[in-house]
Amino acid sequence: MSTEQLMPEVAALIVEALNLPVQPQDIPPDDPLYGDGLGLDSIDLLEIALVVSKRYGFQLKSDDENNRQIFASLRALTAHIASHRTV
């Protein structure tokens, strides 16, 4: 599955996991997830990492040096999931 095909699913997963007051399709793919943009904090990112690991079968580690890039945007997170998923 391509990043573009997977993005709506990942957006819905984020909205559901965090009970966000937005619709998944309203999350701009290239806006930052952390801080400005969607306004998530480090606890939110940990929650996303947990649901991603359960849903897609691989671990996102809190000490990964690439986390800033992985969580840069919905598009970046989805691309990472698409290339690492086992489920």
Side-chain angles (χ1 to χ4, degrees):
M1 184 178 290
S2 76
T3 298
E4 293 301 317
Q5 293 170 312
L6 188 59
M7 207 172 319
E9 182 179 307
V10 174
L13 191 70
I14 291 170
V15 168
E16 183 180 325
L18 301 177
N19 294 314
L20 296 177
V22 297
Q23 295 298 312
Q25 64 270 20
D26 294 337
I27 299 175
D30 298 308
D31 279 10
L33 294 177
Y34 189 80
D36 294 340
L38 198 53
L40 304 183
D41 61 23
S42 58
I43 302 298
D44 295 326
L45 297 184
L46 287 172
E47 188 67 30
I48 292 170
L50 181 65
V51 297
V52 164
S53 69
K54 286 182 181 177
R55 175 71 173 88
Y56 299 107
F58 73 97
Q59 295 291 317
L60 285 167
K61 302 205 182 303
S62 61
D63 60 350
D64 189 321
E65 63 188 28
N66 297 314
N67 277 344
R68 195 173 286 277
Q69 291 90 353
I70 293 168
F71 289 101
S73 66
L74 175 60
R75 186 180 311 278
L77 177 60
T78 304
H80 185 76
I81 292 169
S83 66
H84 290 84
R85 68 186 295 183
T86 60
V87 180

